[in-house]
Amino acid sequence: MLKRKNILDSQDLSIEEIEEIISLAQDIIKQPQEYADLCKGKLLATLFYEPSTRTRLSFEAAMLRLGGQVIGFSDSSSSSVKKGESLADTIQTVSCYADIIAMRHPNEGAPKYVANISKIPIINAGDGGHQHPTQTLADLLTIREARGSFEKLKIGVCGDLKFGRTVHSLIKTMSRYEGVEFVLISPKELKIPSYIKEQVLDKNEIKYMEVEKLEDVMEELDILYMTRVQKERFFNEADYVRLKDSYILDRNKLEKSKSNLAILHPLPRVNEISEDIDNDSRAWYFKQAKFGMYMRMALILKVLGVK
Ligand code: NCD
């Protein structure tokens, strides 16, 4: 059903397609040997115009674990971009070589623009402060494993809600499930963009509140999604320095939480989560990074039409 589809926005996947990807990822986790050769002869290109650890490496690990191969760059200054080549020409060229492209770019909408040029499917691996749909897939499997269901959850999203693309994709997706509520926790300077409030939360009649203090809402939350203040999107260093440590989740703050709270973070963390809670049963963020690889394996299989 998904074959040859571009994945540019978290809304590009229907609820049914998300369910299929989750089931497939869960099966891959159970019996990875059954999937080890399914992408033999297929090539993934990872074109990363912005830094990455998990997204790029998990895409590459995903393709390699499916028996496929990988080409690409992790730093566009080592490609012909440095010589002045346009994004459109790079994509035209790579789409002659590979079967699927995962691309990260600082410009919002860049993956959508190149999807019209590419002859092969484009997966958005993060476009500026806009969207990051495959991180949402990792988040969804984590929530499913932690809580068993997506419905009736109170989800706290904390940190840089203005520039955090993972937050935008997650809210858009989770707003489609029954009874989900959001608590948006941020300094006033980093509040969720008004288009998300109007076109997603209000439009779907989702309950939400905006607060500045994490401590005030901790006991109500089922999920706490922490995020890093997105330094690279700030115009001015002084603002970043003032806001960067707005939230630091530590043992003390966790004391009031539910015992089955699930703490997620797309990573990288800077200071937002103290390392002394990494071994707490409520900390899911490293499992989340692992789930991201399995969800990308499932997505690649679907988009290439192998499964
Ligand atoms: C996120 C991103 O790139 O948007 N990282 C990731 O993909 N796991 C979050 C971030 O960089 O803060």
Side-chain angles (χ1 to χ4, degrees), residues 29 58 141 285-295:
I29 293 171
S58 69
L141 181 55
Y285 31 93
F286 287 111
K287 287 184 227 158
Q288 183 184 359
K290 188 161 186 176
F291 290 148
M293 178 183 73
Y294 291 114
M295 289 296 269

Side-chain angles (χ1 to χ4, degrees), residues 50-56 104 125-126 128 131-132 135 163-166 225 227-230 232-233 265-269 272 296:
E50 272 193 343
S52 169
T53 299
R54 273 146 297 272
T55 306
R56 186 175 61 81
R104 170 170 289 186
Q131 285 267 317
H132 193 347
Q135 178 62 45
F163 297 118
R165 55 193 174 199
T166 63
Y225 195 91
T227 63
R228 163 183 80 90
V229 175
Q230 306 279 297
E232 63 275 36
R233 315 263 177 247
H265 191 311
L267 304 177
R269 78 173 139 191
E272 319 74 58
R296 290 182 175 107

